[in-house]
Amino acid sequence: MRRFVRDVVLPVMVAVGMAFVIQAAVAKPYEIPTESMVPTIQANDRIIANRLIYRFRDIQRGDIVVFTPPPAAIAACGRPAGDVPFVKRVIGVPGDKVAVKGGTTFVNGEPYVVAGAITPTYETTFDTVPPRTVLVLGDNRNDSCDAHDWKNSGSPFVPNDSVIGQAEVTYWPLTRVSFLD
């Protein structure tokens, strides 16, 4: 019996305990319920978010982040069942001025191109991104409930404290396994 506990039960308990710790502190899986990040992430893809990265570096333009939606997002988009976080791409960081005009996204007056992002058919401008916040848009610009929708319901900015982590990997379905930009 001792040998069974030592060889089977104890390793299983350690593995389960480590899995819980890793998920809580390091990496957490999420299922993407919408097409807001198409073509980068498809609806029903599963991703892993790195929950530690922003302890070591600042959020950067281009990062794909998982975050708790701010009140303006909830007002504009509704809240998904089960308190599902949102996943979007960071377009503006503190001090940036973002505008969408003529199908092009501009950051500080310069075109900001995300390879594969759907060309927006709307036009909008945002106030300068305040300190300790980011401005996010989905890669599927026209069918993403993101900052361009939220600005009419309140602030279009996501507080850094609401960012859970950076989306790093698509791990399901197996045909779409890849690292995210």
Side-chain angles (χ1 to χ4, degrees), residues 3 15 31 34 51 56 59 61 73 95-96 102 112 122 141 147 152 157 165 174-175:
R3 185 175 184 164
E31 181 176 354
T34 70
R51 296 172 63 126
F56 301 104
I59 300 169
R61 187 178 308 114
D96 284 348
Y112 182 72
Y122 60 85
R141 298 281 198 271
N152 296 326
F157 307 109
L174 293 176
T175 57

mmCIF file of all heavy atoms in Angstrom, residues 3 15 31 34 51 56 59 61 73 95-96 102 112 122 141 147 152 157 165 174-175:
data_model
loop_
_atom_site.group_PDB
_atom_site.id
_atom_site.type_symbol
_atom_site.label_atom_id
_atom_site.label_comp_id
_atom_site.label_asym_id
_atom_site.label_seq_id
_atom_site.Cartn_x
_atom_site.Cartn_y
_atom_site.Cartn_z
ATOM 1 N N ARG A 3 3.820 1.610 -1.162
ATOM 2 C CA ARG A 3 4.432 1.744 -2.477
ATOM 3 C C ARG A 3 3.429 2.346 -3.470
ATOM 4 O O ARG A 3 3.781 3.209 -4.278
ATOM 5 C CB ARG A 3 4.916 0.386 -2.958
ATOM 6 C CG ARG A 3 5.650 0.466 -4.238
ATOM 7 C CD ARG A 3 6.226 -0.865 -4.619
ATOM 8 N NE ARG A 3 7.007 -0.667 -5.815
ATOM 9 C CZ ARG A 3 7.866 -1.512 -6.253
ATOM 10 N NH1 ARG A 3 8.090 -2.636 -5.598
ATOM 11 N NH2 ARG A 3 8.523 -1.283 -7.358
ATOM 12 N N ALA A 15 1.112 16.551 -9.271
ATOM 13 C CA ALA A 15 0.801 17.038 -10.621
ATOM 14 C C ALA A 15 -0.461 17.891 -10.631
ATOM 15 O O ALA A 15 -0.498 18.967 -11.247
ATOM 16 C CB ALA A 15 0.660 15.864 -11.586
ATOM 17 N N GLU A 31 -11.445 29.952 -23.878
ATOM 18 C CA GLU A 31 -12.105 29.674 -25.151
ATOM 19 C C GLU A 31 -12.619 31.000 -25.688
ATOM 20 O O GLU A 31 -13.212 31.794 -24.959
ATOM 21 C CB GLU A 31 -13.278 28.706 -24.963
ATOM 22 C CG GLU A 31 -13.951 28.379 -26.276
ATOM 23 C CD GLU A 31 -15.060 27.342 -26.148
ATOM 24 O OE1 GLU A 31 -15.234 26.780 -25.057
ATOM 25 O OE2 GLU A 31 -15.750 27.106 -27.158
ATOM 26 N N THR A 34 -16.323 34.562 -29.702
ATOM 27 C CA THR A 34 -16.793 35.410 -30.798
ATOM 28 C C THR A 34 -15.767 35.475 -31.925
ATOM 29 O O THR A 34 -14.657 34.978 -31.805
ATOM 30 C CB THR A 34 -17.053 36.851 -30.312
ATOM 31 O OG1 THR A 34 -15.791 37.469 -30.017
ATOM 32 C CG2 THR A 34 -17.955 36.877 -29.093
ATOM 33 N N ARG A 51 -0.015 34.972 -17.728
ATOM 34 C CA ARG A 51 -0.447 35.861 -16.650
ATOM 35 C C ARG A 51 0.713 36.558 -15.946
ATOM 36 O O ARG A 51 0.493 37.414 -15.096
ATOM 37 C CB ARG A 51 -1.268 35.068 -15.638
ATOM 38 C CG ARG A 51 -2.554 34.531 -16.256
ATOM 39 C CD ARG A 51 -3.263 33.600 -15.329
ATOM 40 N NE ARG A 51 -3.681 34.288 -14.138
ATOM 41 C CZ ARG A 51 -4.909 34.316 -13.658
ATOM 42 N NH1 ARG A 51 -5.854 33.697 -14.298
ATOM 43 N NH2 ARG A 51 -5.184 34.951 -12.554
ATOM 44 N N PHE A 56 6.844 41.858 -15.674
ATOM 45 C CA PHE A 56 8.229 42.059 -16.093
ATOM 46 C C PHE A 56 8.400 43.113 -17.181
ATOM 47 O O PHE A 56 9.506 43.588 -17.415
ATOM 48 C CB PHE A 56 8.826 40.731 -16.573
ATOM 49 C CG PHE A 56 8.793 39.673 -15.512
ATOM 50 C CD1 PHE A 56 7.863 38.655 -15.553
ATOM 51 C CD2 PHE A 56 9.670 39.719 -14.446
ATOM 52 C CE1 PHE A 56 7.830 37.681 -14.568
ATOM 53 C CE2 PHE A 56 9.641 38.761 -13.453
ATOM 54 C CZ PHE A 56 8.716 37.739 -13.507
ATOM 55 N N ILE A 59 2.731 46.727 -21.025
ATOM 56 C CA ILE A 59 1.880 46.332 -22.144
ATOM 57 C C ILE A 59 2.343 47.140 -23.352
ATOM 58 O O ILE A 59 2.585 48.341 -23.251
ATOM 59 C CB ILE A 59 0.402 46.619 -21.829
ATOM 60 C CG1 ILE A 59 -0.032 45.846 -20.578
ATOM 61 C CG2 ILE A 59 -0.479 46.282 -23.029
ATOM 62 C CD1 ILE A 59 -1.386 46.262 -20.034
ATOM 63 N N ARG A 61 2.013 48.122 -27.682
ATOM 64 C CA ARG A 61 1.147 48.179 -28.849
ATOM 65 C C ARG A 61 1.356 46.893 -29.649
ATOM 66 O O ARG A 61 2.478 46.445 -29.858
ATOM 67 C CB ARG A 61 1.501 49.392 -29.702
ATOM 68 C CG ARG A 61 0.561 49.630 -30.846
ATOM 69 C CD ARG A 61 0.913 50.876 -31.666
ATOM 70 N NE ARG A 61 1.071 52.039 -30.817
ATOM 71 C CZ ARG A 61 2.230 52.676 -30.649
ATOM 72 N NH1 ARG A 61 3.328 52.250 -31.245
ATOM 73 N NH2 ARG A 61 2.300 53.735 -29.868
ATOM 74 N N ALA A 73 -17.674 48.796 -21.823
ATOM 75 C CA ALA A 73 -17.764 47.639 -22.714
ATOM 76 C C ALA A 73 -18.992 46.810 -22.378
ATOM 77 O O ALA A 73 -19.693 46.331 -23.268
ATOM 78 C CB ALA A 73 -16.503 46.784 -22.594
ATOM 79 N N GLY A 95 -0.424 58.007 -23.855
ATOM 80 C CA GLY A 95 0.141 59.092 -24.644
ATOM 81 C C GLY A 95 -0.182 59.015 -26.123
ATOM 82 O O GLY A 95 0.011 59.985 -26.855
ATOM 83 N N ASP A 96 -0.691 57.876 -26.596
ATOM 84 C CA ASP A 96 -1.014 57.706 -28.018
ATOM 85 C C ASP A 96 -2.320 58.393 -28.364
ATOM 86 O O ASP A 96 -3.262 58.436 -27.564
ATOM 87 C CB ASP A 96 -1.135 56.228 -28.395
ATOM 88 C CG ASP A 96 0.196 55.526 -28.529
ATOM 89 O OD1 ASP A 96 1.245 56.200 -28.560
ATOM 90 O OD2 ASP A 96 0.188 54.274 -28.612
ATOM 91 N N GLY A 102 -10.872 56.460 -43.305
ATOM 92 C CA GLY A 102 -10.676 55.945 -44.654
ATOM 93 C C GLY A 102 -10.189 54.511 -44.707
ATOM 94 O O GLY A 102 -9.404 54.158 -45.584
ATOM 95 N N TYR A 112 -1.137 52.452 -38.721
ATOM 96 C CA TYR A 112 -0.767 51.286 -37.910
ATOM 97 C C TYR A 112 -1.456 50.093 -38.533
ATOM 98 O O TYR A 112 -2.675 49.950 -38.471
ATOM 99 C CB TYR A 112 -1.185 51.464 -36.447
ATOM 100 C CG TYR A 112 -0.774 50.289 -35.602
ATOM 101 C CD1 TYR A 112 0.559 50.077 -35.279
ATOM 102 C CD2 TYR A 112 -1.710 49.362 -35.160
ATOM 103 C CE1 TYR A 112 0.950 48.984 -34.518
ATOM 104 C CE2 TYR A 112 -1.324 48.262 -34.410
ATOM 105 C CZ TYR A 112 0.012 48.080 -34.091
ATOM 106 O OH TYR A 112 0.403 46.999 -33.354
ATOM 107 N N TYR A 122 -15.805 51.957 -40.530
ATOM 108 C CA TYR A 122 -16.237 53.094 -39.708
ATOM 109 C C TYR A 122 -15.087 54.090 -39.586
ATOM 110 O O TYR A 122 -13.944 53.780 -39.908
ATOM 111 C CB TYR A 122 -16.676 52.623 -38.320
ATOM 112 C CG TYR A 122 -15.595 51.909 -37.535
ATOM 113 C CD1 TYR A 122 -14.669 52.621 -36.777
ATOM 114 C CD2 TYR A 122 -15.491 50.522 -37.556
ATOM 115 C CE1 TYR A 122 -13.670 51.973 -36.074
ATOM 116 C CE2 TYR A 122 -14.499 49.867 -36.851
ATOM 117 C CZ TYR A 122 -13.587 50.590 -36.114
ATOM 118 O OH TYR A 122 -12.593 49.950 -35.412
ATOM 119 N N ARG A 141 -12.224 44.339 -37.258
ATOM 120 C CA ARG A 141 -12.603 45.699 -36.858
ATOM 121 C C ARG A 141 -14.107 45.989 -36.931
ATOM 122 O O ARG A 141 -14.642 46.662 -36.072
ATOM 123 C CB ARG A 141 -11.865 46.736 -37.720
ATOM 124 C CG ARG A 141 -10.364 46.713 -37.599
ATOM 125 C CD ARG A 141 -9.904 47.424 -36.329
ATOM 126 N NE ARG A 141 -8.505 47.770 -36.401
ATOM 127 C CZ ARG A 141 -7.507 46.978 -36.013
ATOM 128 N NH1 ARG A 141 -7.768 45.792 -35.539
ATOM 129 N NH2 ARG A 141 -6.267 47.378 -36.103
ATOM 130 N N ALA A 147 -13.266 49.280 -28.440
ATOM 131 C CA ALA A 147 -13.206 50.685 -28.024
ATOM 132 C C ALA A 147 -14.030 51.610 -28.914
ATOM 133 O O ALA A 147 -14.578 52.602 -28.424
ATOM 134 C CB ALA A 147 -11.756 51.156 -27.975
ATOM 135 N N ASN A 152 -19.088 55.551 -26.804
ATOM 136 C CA ASN A 152 -20.408 56.170 -26.647
ATOM 137 C C ASN A 152 -21.087 55.764 -25.340
ATOM 138 O O ASN A 152 -22.102 56.329 -24.972
ATOM 139 C CB ASN A 152 -21.301 55.818 -27.837
ATOM 140 C CG ASN A 152 -20.759 56.395 -29.125
ATOM 141 O OD1 ASN A 152 -20.172 57.474 -29.138
ATOM 142 N ND2 ASN A 152 -20.919 55.670 -30.213
ATOM 143 N N PHE A 157 -11.247 53.229 -22.845
ATOM 144 C CA PHE A 157 -9.945 52.709 -22.420
ATOM 145 C C PHE A 157 -10.076 51.581 -21.396
ATOM 146 O O PHE A 157 -10.995 51.559 -20.592
ATOM 147 C CB PHE A 157 -9.097 53.846 -21.847
ATOM 148 C CG PHE A 157 -8.984 55.006 -22.792
ATOM 149 C CD1 PHE A 157 -9.623 56.210 -22.528
ATOM 150 C CD2 PHE A 157 -8.269 54.885 -23.977
ATOM 151 C CE1 PHE A 157 -9.544 57.277 -23.412
ATOM 152 C CE2 PHE A 157 -8.187 55.937 -24.867
ATOM 153 C CZ PHE A 157 -8.824 57.141 -24.587
ATOM 154 N N GLY A 165 -3.702 39.078 -18.833
ATOM 155 C CA GLY A 165 -2.460 38.576 -19.397
ATOM 156 C C GLY A 165 -2.422 38.726 -20.899
ATOM 157 O O GLY A 165 -3.336 39.278 -21.509
ATOM 158 N N LEU A 174 -6.427 21.467 -33.058
ATOM 159 C CA LEU A 174 -5.048 21.098 -33.375
ATOM 160 C C LEU A 174 -4.586 21.628 -34.725
ATOM 161 O O LEU A 174 -3.407 21.930 -34.910
ATOM 162 C CB LEU A 174 -4.864 19.585 -33.315
ATOM 163 C CG LEU A 174 -4.998 18.962 -31.918
ATOM 164 C CD1 LEU A 174 -4.903 17.443 -31.989
ATOM 165 C CD2 LEU A 174 -3.961 19.532 -30.976
ATOM 166 N N THR A 175 -5.506 21.793 -35.654
ATOM 167 C CA THR A 175 -5.138 22.308 -36.980
ATOM 168 C C THR A 175 -4.748 23.789 -36.937
ATOM 169 O O THR A 175 -4.187 24.305 -37.891
ATOM 170 C CB THR A 175 -6.291 22.132 -37.978
ATOM 171 O OG1 THR A 175 -7.454 22.795 -37.469
ATOM 172 C CG2 THR A 175 -6.572 20.656 -38.232
#
